[in-house]
Amino acid sequence: MSEIPLKQIRNIGIIAHIDAGKTTVTERVLYYTGKKHKVGEVHKGEAEMDWMEQEKERGVTITAAATTVFWTPKNKKEQVKINIIDTPGHIDFTAEVQRSLRVLDGGVVVFDGVAGVEPQSETVWHQAEKFKIPLIAFINKLDRTGADFYSDLDSIHERLTKNAYPIQLPVGTEADFKGIIDLFTRRAQIYLDEMGKEIKDEEIPAELKDKTEEYRHKLIEAIVEHDDQLMEQYLEGKELAIDDLKKVLRQAVIKGKIVPVLCGSALKNKGIQAMLDAVCEYLPSPLDVPPVEGIVPSTKEKTTRRADENEPLAALAFKIATDPYMGRLCYFRVYSGVITAGSYILNTTTNHKERIGRIVRIHANRREEVESVGAGDIAAIVGIKNTSTGDTLCDIDHPIILESITFPEPVVSVAIEPKTKSDQEKMGIGIAKLVEEDPTFKVRSDEETGQTIISGMGELHLEIIVDRLSREFNISANVGQPQVAYKETITAETKIEGKYIHQSGGRGQYGHCYLKLEPLERGKGFEFVDAIKGASIPREYIPAIKKGVIEAMSGGVLAGYPVIDMKVTVYDGSYHEVDSSEAAFKIAAARAIREGVKNAKPAILEPIMKIEVVVPEKFLGEIIGDLNSRRSQIQGTKTRGQMKLVEAISPLAEIFGYTTALRSMTEGRGSSTMEFFHYAPVPRKVQEKLTGEENK
């Protein structure tokens, strides 16, 4: 059971673009809350939350790490328990962000004080919007050369939301950044020591008074819009009570109407305590968010569960991890009820009963055993066998299925083969464990070559997977060149008849259906429609037809790539009283698809990436020329401090290894980030090359 009342719990994520300083922010949070007594630096490989070997070496977060801290906000008596998930910023590990956001109640989005809103900042922001997660913005790195709080704020207004309002302003900038102004109290907090523990509360510097009044006025106007009583007092010219303003601001933040903007420098230990205060003051507790919705499996009716320990248990497994000492760990969030060690629960996704062995609280890679975990909390179960990411765990007598988590499809593949016979057996086990952990990591066997093909979200993703196979499972493997995950689609409508009639003495096989194939919008996937009227095909054979369609779509007619963005309607057919079977209808449907796709003007699609390149101005022409030669479309160029930023969309096939090429063109000073944008038809020459090679 929870030792802290529900209203004093916060489940938050620290999310941002790669290198904006999320992990450094989390490290400072651990330091100020007393969770650790020495600050760990990411660039030295000492960060507690980056506990994997690969994270320490590369200085990037790969896996979402969880921890729990306790904080008493300024001028408050009650302690708040904060469950924090530090998420990766690299687009290749977007699944980690997605599954973390699914179970969180609030988020702190960290922005780089120089770069402002970057591509992955937009991605995580929109993911948070999709899950309706209230946010706080923290503009970090204000001590860096080129840092500008106000231009960062403009980029948030321009690219993310107009509803972002500073509740703090910086005192000084770059090397002179020395403190923050609280817009509510009109006081400046000046940091006197290096560790940010000695803070002097003083008058606002004279040169910042006008700016303070300007932004305070904007903030108060935004707040009073959400409360009629405050609005009335404001219009009458009365001085509004700070507590009343904060109370209304909290409600507006929880509804997603306002995003408070804070500032600081995590590396220089400034602004973190005020950020923790804001998390406690403005982000929701489990009681502030709507009850979780689910479906009763037997009746398919909607139902809800409140955040209450007296309600029946409902929890969501959001991550599976393999711990070197404890084995299989299942991270879960409890929405209602209590989960107790030694009890039995029902996994409604698989319909298996599971016994809960040990329950542990997570702190990065350290574990603390607990007897039970109550509503609103996050923890992990050790050794649970039949549960995977997105499964619902609930009370056996009160089953419920919560909404699962959807993940993007992988876009890059490589062939991998073990070096020795003994590696072959180990590789199967290792890959199976990693597939269990990571829903965006897929594996298949190529029937023609017999090779094992692994697919992921990018080159770095697959590099890390291969590295983990080598270190954690001691497997030596040869890895092929990265391959693009092409897809096929249709561009025209067609109708087709599928027939399978087989007589071999005794009972035969009879399946017969008419299908209509139509192209769908990009990204819509697959749609199957049953438009049978009357009884031309009995109802029990429709699922078999759908199965046949899906199987046939796994390999297209042009070059064997999976077929996507297609709508298939079964509208007529016939059956035989004795000879018809599910297998016959499945074969008939598969034949119809193969023939129909040929007639529907098939095309090959390739993944297109959004790419941002930051380079010194003198290399701009060369970089744009190089991108054009890679079939890229330049979307625009901007100035960012002393650097030029080029935005483009490029086919993935053309930008493998682009980082290395970029460094050599810019004397090592250029950097780039990319993320998946959409699938688009390949040019005719590329299609001819792909199908030509395939036909050979």
Side-chain angles (χ1 to χ4, degrees):
M1 306 286 265
S2 181
E3 68 284 5
I4 274 191
L6 268 177
K7 70 178 174 65
Q8 298 299 109
I9 292 178
R10 304 287 178 273
N11 292 311
I12 66 158
I14 306 230
I15 54 179
H17 184 88
I18 188 168
D19 226 14
K22 293 175 306 303
T23 302
T24 309
V25 167
T26 313
E27 286 298 309
R28 295 316 185 262
V29 166
L30 298 179
Y31 174 68
Y32 291 122
T33 55
K35 194 83 182 183
K36 60 186 288 192
H37 305 292
K38 178 178 173 287
V39 166
E41 301 300 3
V42 176
H43 55 273
K44 293 181 185 170
E46 300 167 347
E48 187 123 347
M49 302 303 274
D50 285 351
W51 56 272
M52 285 170 71
E53 288 302 321
Q54 293 89 337
E55 294 179 313
K56 288 187 189 329
E57 285 167 15
R58 288 172 167 83
V60 298
T61 304
I62 291 165
T63 178
T67 188
T68 301
V69 297
F70 295 88
W71 180 251
T72 307
K74 196 175 171 185
N75 305 327
K76 295 272 195 310
K77 291 183 186 134
E78 296 162 307
Q79 204 180 42
V80 177
K81 175 182 179 179
I82 309 173
N83 293 318
I84 300 175
I85 297 182
D86 172 31
T87 64
H90 199 288
I91 187 66
D92 285 14
F93 310 109
T94 188
E96 288 288 333
V97 184
Q98 201 129 326
R99 58 172 155 206
S100 304
L101 287 174
R102 171 68 180 81
V103 296
L104 293 170
D105 299 328
V108 177
V109 187
V110 181
F111 296 96
D112 184 317
V114 180
V117 176
E118 297 171 273
Q120 184 66 356
S121 328
E122 286 192 68
T123 306
V124 294
W125 188 280
H126 296 315
Q127 283 175 327
E129 277 182 339
K130 178 184 155 196
F131 291 117
K132 295 187 173 63
I133 288 179
L135 298 172
I136 282 177
F138 181 73
I139 296 178
N140 190 25
K141 300 193 178 186
L142 287 180
D143 59 303
R144 275 184 63 196
T145 306
D148 185 340
F149 174 81
Y150 300 100
S151 78
D152 262 36
L153 186 61
D154 288 344
S155 73
I156 292 172
H157 287 158
E158 189 188 316
R159 296 174 67 173
L160 300 176
T161 176
K162 291 272 184 256
N163 297 330
Y165 294 92
I167 59 172
Q168 296 171 351
L169 297 181
V171 179
T173 187
E174 299 182 355
D176 298 327
F177 174 60
K178 56 176 185 263
I180 51 181
I181 292 169
D182 183 330
L183 290 183
F184 284 114
T185 60
R186 293 186 177 102
R187 299 287 291 172
Q189 270 95 49
I190 305 298
Y191 290 83
L192 303 176
D193 66 327
E194 262 190 34
M195 292 318 294
K197 288 205 161 185
E198 279 182 56
I199 305 169
K200 188 180 171 194
D201 190 76
E202 58 180 54
E203 283 286 315
I204 295 166
E207 70 275 13
L208 289 172
K209 283 197 166 160
D210 288 349
K211 202 148 231 175
T212 301
E213 288 309 316
E214 178 198 336
Y215 279 95
R216 189 178 196 270
H217 180 68
K218 287 180 186 172
L219 173 66
I220 288 174
E221 276 201 334
I223 293 172
V224 297
E225 272 181 27
H226 299 280
D227 187 277
D228 295 342
Q229 213 174 339
L230 277 190
M231 177 66 95
E232 234 171 82
Q233 291 175 23
Y234 176 70
L235 293 173
E236 286 167 13
K238 291 179 182 170
E239 185 63 34
L240 304 174
I242 290 172
D243 284 352
D244 293 344
L245 286 168
K246 286 185 172 182
K247 205 178 283 177
V248 174
L249 176 58
R250 174 180 168 77
Q251 291 312 315
V253 171
I254 289 169
K255 288 175 186 158
K257 303 289 186 197
I258 293 181
V259 176
V261 182
L262 296 93
C263 60
S265 162
L267 189 66
K268 293 289 192 288
N269 309 304
K270 293 179 173 72
I272 299 298
Q273 298 100 314
M275 189 265 289
L276 279 168
D277 287 347
V279 163
C280 302
E281 280 190 293
Y282 306 120
L283 288 180
S285 74
L287 294 174
D288 296 313
V289 293
V292 67
E293 282 191 358
I295 289 169
V296 178
S298 54
T299 62
K300 300 286 180 257
E301 282 174 13
K302 278 190 177 178
T303 183
T304 58
R305 294 278 163 88
R306 286 179 303 111
D308 185 341
E309 294 186 350
N310 299 317
E311 288 249 320
L313 171 70
L316 187 77
F318 68 93
K319 179 178 160 104
I320 303 296
T322 306
D323 185 281
Y325 307 107
M326 289 192 153
R328 197 171 186 270
L329 273 183
C330 165
Y331 288 70
F332 64 93
R333 154 85 193 253
V334 184
Y335 286 97
S336 65
V338 178
I339 198 161
T340 313
S343 63
Y344 281 88
I345 49 130
L346 174 67
N347 178 335
T348 42
T349 314
T350 60
N351 220 12
H352 274 92
K353 283 182 187 170
E354 298 254 26
R355 185 178 181 276
I356 303 298
R358 292 154 66 201
I359 300 175
V360 289
R361 284 207 187 289
I362 308 291
H363 174 54
N365 62 339
R366 298 208 304 274
R367 319 278 177 247
E368 173 204 337
E369 207 160 322
V370 290
E371 271 307 300
S372 63
V373 176
D377 231 332
I378 291 172
I381 302 166
V382 181
I384 192 165
K385 290 282 187 293
N386 301 311
T387 296
S388 49
T389 301
D391 287 2
T392 303
L393 309 174
C394 66
D395 189 309
I396 292 171
D397 300 325
H398 301 87
I400 184 173
I401 300 175
L402 304 176
E403 186 191 338
S404 192
I405 312 171
T406 52
F407 295 103
E409 283 296 308
V411 291
V412 179
S413 304
V414 296
I416 182 169
E417 50 189 40
K419 285 184 178 173
T420 66
K421 191 83 179 136
S422 67
D423 282 333
Q424 187 149 13
E425 288 161 20
K426 285 192 287 185
M427 192 167 93
I429 297 164
I431 285 179
K433 283 192 174 170
L434 294 179
V435 166
E436 231 180 33
E437 279 184 35
D438 186 347
T440 56
F441 172 52
K442 298 274 195 308
V443 63
R444 65 180 172 84
S445 283
D446 188 311
E447 286 172 16
E448 287 177 22
T449 61
Q451 285 177 311
T452 301
I453 308 291
I454 57 173
S455 307
M457 298 306 293
E459 289 175 88
L460 179 64
H461 188 194
L462 293 179
E463 202 183 300
I464 299 287
I465 293 279
V466 172
D467 195 23
R468 287 187 65 189
L469 284 172
S470 160
R471 290 188 198 202
E472 293 173 31
F473 303 98
N474 205 15
I475 296 159
S476 303
N478 296 319
V479 181
Q481 284 297 310
Q483 300 291 315
V484 179
Y486 290 106
K487 306 278 189 207
E488 294 185 23
T489 191
I490 58 170
T491 59
E493 279 188 27
T494 188
K495 289 185 174 177
I496 192 81
E497 179 185 16
K499 230 178 204 180
Y500 179 61
I501 300 170
H502 186 70
Q503 291 300 140
S504 56
R507 188 179 165 179
Q509 294 285 355
Y510 184 95
H512 177 220
C513 59
Y514 287 95
L515 304 180
K516 180 184 177 186
L517 278 49
E518 299 165 79
L520 284 177
E521 249 179 79
R522 282 296 148 265
K524 290 288 183 197
F526 164 64
E527 202 180 312
F528 181 80
V529 179
D530 169 13
I532 296 288
K533 289 183 172 58
S536 54
I537 300 176
R539 278 279 157 269
E540 66 262 28
Y541 296 133
I542 302 297
I545 293 173
K546 185 177 179 180
K547 212 171 182 185
V549 167
I550 291 168
E551 276 182 23
M553 283 173 68
S554 65
V557 298
L558 289 173
Y561 298 117
V563 180
I564 60 166
D565 300 339
M566 181 166 82
K567 179 180 176 181
V568 177
T569 307
V570 52
Y571 64 92
D572 203 0
S574 63
Y575 73 105
H576 188 281
E577 289 283 356
V578 178
D579 293 351
S580 280
S581 67
E582 286 186 6
F585 273 101
K586 189 174 142 186
I587 295 167
R591 282 183 175 180
I593 289 295
R594 286 188 202 106
E595 204 50 49
V597 168
K598 277 183 201 166
N599 304 342
K601 296 184 183 168
I604 293 179
L605 301 174
E606 64 181 342
I608 303 292
M609 310 299 278
K610 234 191 236 178
I611 183 166
E612 269 199 7
V613 187
V614 181
V615 291
E617 190 163 354
K618 68 174 183 174
F619 301 112
L620 185 63
E622 194 183 340
I623 293 302
I624 289 177
D626 178 67
L627 283 170
N628 284 331
S629 73
R630 294 170 183 267
R631 292 199 281 125
S632 303
Q633 291 171 26
I634 307 297
Q635 303 292 294
T637 58
K638 291 177 184 170
T639 303
R640 182 183 281 173
Q642 303 297 307
M643 308 288 266
K644 285 286 181 190
L645 182 142
V646 183
E647 292 176 331
I649 52 174
S650 306
L652 177 62
E654 302 290 340
I655 47 175
F656 277 136
Y658 181 67
T659 310
T660 313
L662 178 65
R663 282 187 190 138
S664 63
M665 281 188 284
T666 59
E667 300 165 3
R669 292 162 67 195
S671 66
S672 68
T673 53
M674 64 179 90
E675 59 177 326
F676 174 70
F677 186 37
H678 61 77
Y679 269 92
V682 297
R684 214 171 80 197
K685 274 189 178 174
V686 178
Q687 179 153 319
E688 282 168 9
K689 186 180 165 195
L690 288 167
T691 52
E693 283 174 6
E694 204 68 25
N695 294 341
K696 262 183 240 172

